[in-house]
Amino acid sequence: MTEKESLLNSLLDILITQRQTALAAAEDAHNDATNEQSVAETQYDTIGLEAAYLAHGQSQRVADIDVMIRKLKALPLRNFSAEDEIDLGALVTLQGGLTCWFLPVCGGVKLNDSKIVVITPQSPLGQKLDGAEMDEKLDDGRLIISVR
């Protein structure tokens, strides 16, 4: 198994755990919303309504995680050479030791005992790295020392 395959499996495990947690929370909130004790007794009694909103939000979170999982599974895990521009899937090390995995989703997630952080093209650092090359100095002064 390659380094990227191992990292991807770790990331998918995190997402699957988050999905299970959100799904359980959605089910609990749905049960609370539909419980006979949640029926409003006055116009100010909003327990059932609040639980319904929570159930909807958690269900949306499950759907968002499903999209992230599909995007990650569809991403080709190619190896980059020193001549390649940084693109999705690249593992990039900057001077100072920060190693980033440039992915379409899951920005901020730390992998490999927090040695690798996922960044997305939407993040400020991701915008600087997108299309950059090995040995390029970013406008914040950091040098790209490794692309793989």
Side-chain angles (χ1 to χ4, degrees):
M1 180 180 298
T2 67
E3 177 185 23
K4 289 182 183 179
E5 289 171 336
S6 176
L7 290 170
L8 179 62
N9 287 337
S10 295
L11 188 54
L12 289 172
D13 287 345
I14 290 168
L15 287 174
I16 289 166
T17 300
Q18 290 177 352
R19 184 186 188 283
Q20 290 168 337
T21 301
L23 188 59
E27 289 171 0
D28 288 346
H30 175 74
N31 291 337
D32 289 346
T34 58
N35 187 308
E36 64 184 41
Q37 292 180 349
S38 296
V39 174
E41 295 176 9
T42 70
Q43 69 185 27
Y44 303 107
D45 189 0
T46 61
I47 292 173
L49 182 61
E50 291 168 5
Y53 282 130
L54 181 59
H56 174 73
Q58 292 295 343
S59 296
Q60 184 59 51
R61 179 72 179 134
V62 170
D64 292 345
I65 292 171
D66 287 341
V67 169
M68 288 189 269
I69 290 171
R70 282 194 301 275
K71 284 183 178 183
L72 290 173
K73 286 184 174 182
L75 184 70
L77 297 179
R78 70 182 184 102
N79 290 318
F80 289 77
S81 71
E83 293 79 35
D84 290 331
E85 288 186 353
I86 295 171
D87 197 5
L88 292 177
L91 274 167
V92 180
T93 302
L94 301 175
Q95 190 175 28
L98 176 64
T99 300
C100 309
W101 197 14
F102 195 53
L103 295 176
V105 293
C106 298
V109 174
K110 294 179 180 179
L111 301 167
N112 198 16
D113 296 324
S114 297
K115 295 176 187 159
I116 297 173
V117 64
V118 176
I119 60 165
T120 63
Q122 296 81 21
S123 70
L125 180 56
Q127 291 173 4
K128 293 174 187 175
L129 289 176
D130 196 10
E133 297 176 343
M134 172 102 158
D135 295 326
E136 186 172 325
K137 193 172 207 171
L138 303 178
D139 62 6
D140 63 5
R142 292 187 278 186
L143 181 69
I144 299 169
I145 60 172
S146 169
V147 179
R148 57 189 198 279

